Amino acid sequence: LKGSFELHVSNPNTGRLKVDIYTAGGVFIREFVMAKTAAVLDIPLTFGGVKPGNYFLVATIGNWRRTLKLIKL
């Protein structure tokens, strides 16, 4: 990915969706918070101003949690 990407979240959970970005070493970089009001949500996120490398995205809604690996070019 380069400066932005779209996160696709598909599950029955709704409510406060928090998306955190961390470096591969676990250093917190950025946080996004939004409301998830439907089962499927496509979220455009900006990843500009961050140098190329490996990162982890952690998406959380209540007890539901997913971790994805990101590679910034």
Side-chain angles (χ1 to χ4, degrees):
L1 66 100
K2 293 197 179 198
S4 64
F5 63 99
E6 188 168 278
L7 176 63
H8 177 80
V9 180
S10 177
N11 65 44
N13 299 327
T14 58
R16 181 179 182 266
L17 169 63
K18 187 171 118 172
V19 178
D20 293 326
I21 309 289
Y22 296 91
T23 66
V27 176
F28 175 79
I29 296 292
R30 190 165 292 161
E31 175 184 75
F32 303 92
V33 178
M34 64 228 54
K36 183 172 178 282
T37 59
V40 176
L41 180 64
D42 292 313
I43 310 154
L45 298 174
T46 302
F47 203 52
V50 178
K51 64 183 179 178
N54 295 321
Y55 296 88
F56 289 98
L57 176 150
V58 180
T60 308
I61 304 171
N63 292 329
W64 179 88
R65 182 181 183 124
R66 288 291 181 273
T67 302
L68 303 171
K69 183 176 182 181
L70 302 176
I71 300 172
K72 174 124 190 262
L73 303 175

